[in-house]
Structure formats: C-alpha cells, structure tokens
Amino acid sequence: MRYLHTMVRVSDVDQSLDFYCNKLGLVETRRIENEQGRFTLIFLAAPGDQPGAAEKAAPLVELTYNWDPEEYSGGRNFGHIAYEVDDIYATCQALMDKGVTINRPPRDGRMAFVKSPDNISFELLQKGDAKAPAEPWSSMPNTGTW
C-alpha cells in the first residue's frame, strides 16, 4: 500500500490554484476535463515530489471542481493535508507575505497550520528537528481553528 493523493473539492478553480500553486508552491502535473461527468480534476505535486509524482502518479493533491454549483461545508471533515518544509519560519513568512493567515503559528519551531480558500487545513512540519523558538513566532497567538 502507498499513498496516492488527497482529494479536495473546490468551489473556484482560479482562487484555489492561486492558493495551492502561487502561494503554497505546489505544481500542476495534469488536468482532466470530463464534459460528460461535468467535472475537472487537477493534480498537484510538491516541488520535491514532482519527479516521482510524474512517474508514479503519487503523492498528489487532487482538486475536484464540479461544474454545477454546489455548496461545500465542513472542510475539516477529512482532517488535513500535511507537508514537510525545509524552513518552517521562512515558509510561514512567505505565506503571510502572500496574504495567507497562519492559523496556528510555528511557536514550537516544528508545526504550523494554514487554511485554503475552501477551509481545508494544511499542516506544515519542519523537516528534521524542530527549529529553536524565535520571534515573532514564539509569542504569536492562534488566529482561528486549525
């Protein structure tokens, strides 16, 4: 058994791709438009996973856009998507600079949470050992649910 992908339903393709690609840094690997089923599937990979994702079709995030309007609620029903990052502080700062709210700051130098425009939680974990606590992160409060 191996991890393939996490599917997330999205309500706005452009807004979602802005978050996932332009802000979080994922890369689109393929797209499927299904006129009969009236949906679009967009597969994304983390830059470090891109070579393996192209060969093995995993690990990926699958964005599912249903063409007929639907209301999605309870984005946290499935849990969260987790990514390992090289520098938790630099990653969070880059996301904040792009307008993303850090819902659970990396006060411990190890873990942070952010949310997509569709209210999906993303856990960011420091690669290797936790970084030493540093300001402004160590005293920053949570800004919402994560």
Side-chain angles (χ1 to χ4, degrees):
M1 187 179 313
R2 66 187 176 100
Y3 171 77
L4 295 177
H5 65 264
T6 297
M7 186 276 271
V8 177
R9 287 186 178 87
V10 299
S11 56
D12 182 308
V13 170
D14 293 333
Q15 186 181 41
S16 295
L17 288 176
D18 179 57
F19 174 79
Y20 289 95
C21 297
N22 297 336
K23 294 176 180 166
L24 199 55
L26 302 185
V27 179
E28 184 174 334
T29 62
R30 67 185 164 116
R31 185 182 292 224
I32 298 168
E33 303 276 345
N34 187 312
E35 284 197 40
Q36 185 176 358
R38 301 190 46 72
F39 63 84
T40 302
L41 303 179
I42 303 168
F43 293 90
L44 309 173
D49 292 330
Q50 198 173 359
E55 179 184 319
K56 300 175 183 176
L60 298 167
V61 172
E62 172 192 320
L63 302 183
T64 298
Y65 174 70
N66 293 307
W67 299 356
D68 298 320
E70 289 186 45
E71 184 103 7
Y72 300 117
S73 62
R76 291 176 55 96
N77 291 0
F78 76 97
H80 63 265
I81 299 170
Y83 285 98
E84 180 180 72
V85 298
D86 289 330
D87 185 325
I88 192 80
Y89 297 139
T91 299
C92 287
Q93 186 61 57
L95 288 168
M96 284 179 57
D97 291 347
K98 294 175 183 175
V100 176
T101 298
I102 309 300
N103 295 93
R104 192 274 192 197
R107 290 185 299 273
D108 55 4
R110 172 90 182 122
M111 175 179 56
F113 276 87
V114 299
K115 284 189 180 179
S116 78
D118 289 295
N119 214 27
I120 304 301
S121 291
F122 283 80
E123 179 182 23
L124 305 173
L125 294 167
Q126 173 62 41
K127 183 177 182 179
D129 294 333
K131 295 179 97 42
E135 292 299 333
W137 309 106
S138 59
S139 59
M140 192 177 286
N142 290 343
T143 58
T145 60
W146 41 279

